[in-house]
Amino acid sequence: MSTLPPAPVPDAGEPLTVVGIGADGWAGLAERAREELRRAQVLIGAVRQLGLLPPECAGERVAWPSPLRPAVPKLLAEHAGRRVAVLASGDPMFHGIGRTLAEVAGAGRLRVLPHPSSVSYACARLGWPVERTEVVSLVGRPTAGLNAALYDRRRLLVLSADAATPAEVARLLRERGFGASRMRVLEQLGGARERVLDGTAAAWPHPPGDPLNVVAVECAAGADARRLSLVPGLPDEAYEHDGQLTKRHVRAATLAALAPAPGELLWDVGAGSGSIGVEWMRAHGSCRAIAVERDPVRAERVTRNADALGVPGLRLVTGPAPEALAGLPTPDAVFIGGGLTAPGLLAACWEALPPGGRLVANTVTLESEAVLGQWYARHGGDLVRIAVAQAVPVGGFTGWRQAMPVTQWAARKP
């Protein structure tokens, strides 16, 4: 399926040792980790990490280039056949280089010696249970990713990209109505220069400090904070739109039919305001979506909605379907929110799905409904009509105002 990384190339050479190191440097390492670093012929790591090693680690020191991820295969190939040790911050397998190395070199080749992570240290200092603390990484990621985690009384640990991150977090909290949230910045955890800075997001008083920091947030929602549910069916007002929006109740039914699962990829075709792709990604942190929208103005709106609702990783493709679908990674599910009468669109989406993939299409027009009727007759699935009415004033009384009914076809590819 599309969720799996590419298979690593087998390597019969030396094991690749990955050593977690903290702010306490050499003094904080276990003897086994020290011995591996002494034996290594090549030491790879960040400049800061390499500077923590004593002269007795005599291997060739190689600093990671930037950007890091594309350089990993080439760097490992250059030192094939030599004893290589890679330095990582804290636990290499927790938001660290360990995942990338496992994908490139193969998990079976790795020998990982973890150090306590910054999250473990921070929870120990704060007295927070690790399993009840949500972790948001902003290392190499947009600050907007924090939006999806903002809930009243929620405890968050934010992994900072640099010294500027705490101020950026405070700004975002203020903008989202969480200015009363308590913030603590924990710097150089586990090291001799460890310190904690305290304050609130509304009046964050501290200038940028040490770049090696973690931000602890105790979320406190103000009266102006927007309350957003964890389940699909966010209020329509949560989206910027021009009327091209799958409305709340139909959206909830659509996401239920699409049935997102961790790690899966959705194509949101004819994205409009991007609401289906956004709520697919909000279902789980590993869910991915590609929004395909032909109108450039609406496409920009999709991006703004994704940022505002905490899923800045939503990928946008601007162009008409089915032409814009060419070359996209294989989806686990496809939603078609518009353009059903475009020649070849439904066929292209169905063909792109792997066995077991799901397709859901919505329409309000008779012409598109006829197309869905033909596909239902051919492939089965569920063909339903969703009708929603809302109570509105009628003079001095109250009556029902009927929205346009939506015909929905949902099918699973055999």
Side-chain angles (χ1 to χ4, degrees), residues 51-91:
L52 297 173
L53 301 183
E56 61 193 271
C57 297
E60 178 187 354
R61 302 192 182 198
V62 179
W64 286 118
S66 181
L68 186 152
R69 180 62 174 84
V72 171
K74 180 182 177 185
L75 205 55
L76 295 183
E78 287 176 355
H79 300 288
R82 304 174 74 188
R83 288 194 300 273
V84 176
V86 176
L87 293 170
S89 294
D91 184 346

Side-chain angles (χ1 to χ4, degrees), residues 4-360:
L4 295 177
V9 177
D11 192 308
E14 284 276 343
L16 185 60
T17 302
V18 190
V19 177
I21 190 168
D24 49 358
W26 185 255
L29 294 178
E31 184 55 36
R32 182 183 175 194
R34 293 182 181 184
E35 183 57 31
E36 290 293 340
L37 294 173
R38 292 189 193 101
R39 291 180 63 248
Q41 296 170 308
V42 181
L43 298 159
I44 303 176
V47 172
R48 177 186 61 81
Q49 295 163 341
L50 293 170
L52 297 173
L53 301 183
E56 61 193 271
C57 297
E60 178 187 354
R61 302 192 182 198
V62 179
W64 286 118
S66 181
L68 186 152
R69 180 62 174 84
V72 171
K74 180 182 177 185
L75 205 55
L76 295 183
E78 287 176 355
H79 300 288
R82 304 174 74 188
R83 288 194 300 273
V84 176
V86 176
L87 293 170
S89 294
D91 184 346
M93 304 308 295
F94 184 75
H95 291 284
I97 189 65
R99 172 184 170 182
T100 299
L101 293 173
E103 292 175 358
V104 173
R109 190 182 165 202
L110 296 190
R111 179 192 292 131
V112 180
L113 303 176
H115 190 273
S117 69
S118 58
V119 169
S120 295
Y121 272 124
C123 286
R125 302 294 187 265
L126 299 166
W128 293 2
V130 177
E131 73 277 7
R132 295 192 179 184
T133 301
E134 185 166 356
V135 179
V136 179
S137 176
L138 298 184
V139 180
R141 297 175 173 88
T143 310
L146 186 58
N147 283 321
L150 298 182
Y151 292 93
D152 195 32
R153 300 187 298 276
R154 187 71 171 148
R155 288 172 169 174
L156 308 175
L157 281 180
V158 181
L159 307 184
S160 291
D162 51 36
T165 300
E168 293 174 5
V169 170
R171 175 190 55 77
L172 183 144
L173 291 169
R174 291 193 298 270
E175 292 175 352
R176 298 299 169 186
F178 284 81
S181 302
R182 183 183 182 186
M183 286 177 52
R184 280 172 281 183
V185 176
L186 301 95
E187 298 179 345
Q188 289 284 332
L189 282 164
R193 295 187 291 118
E194 181 178 319
R195 70 167 180 165
V196 179
L197 306 175
D198 205 336
T200 65
W204 184 246
H206 305 286
D210 195 288
L212 195 63
N213 72 81
V214 174
V215 184
V217 180
E218 296 179 73
C219 295
D224 58 338
R226 190 167 57 186
R227 187 182 187 282
L228 299 177
S229 171
L230 283 171
V231 300
L234 299 182
D236 293 344
E237 302 77 48
Y239 292 93
E240 180 187 343
H241 65 91
D242 61 359
Q244 287 294 99
L245 174 75
T246 303
K247 298 301 190 292
R248 181 179 192 176
H249 298 92
V250 175
R251 192 182 330 123
T254 300
L255 267 295
L258 285 167
E264 290 189 327
L265 173 65
L266 171 76
W267 286 1
D268 182 1
V269 182
S273 301
S275 63
I276 297 298
V278 165
E279 296 193 29
W280 169 279
M281 291 185 67
R282 282 175 60 91
H284 192 271
S286 65
C287 285
R288 298 164 296 132
I290 300 173
V292 181
E293 173 54 52
R294 67 181 302 160
D295 187 301
V297 174
R298 287 177 179 160
E300 291 177 2
R301 195 176 288 125
V302 169
T303 298
R304 292 195 295 272
N305 283 328
D307 286 350
L309 293 167
V311 289
L314 185 147
R315 178 181 167 187
L316 178 66
V317 174
T318 304
E323 294 82 4
L325 307 178
L328 297 183
T330 301
D332 298 286
V334 176
F335 171 67
I336 306 175
L340 279 168
T341 57
L345 174 60
L346 198 46
C349 291
W350 185 258
E351 180 65 26
L353 286 169
R358 291 96 64 202
L359 189 147
V360 177

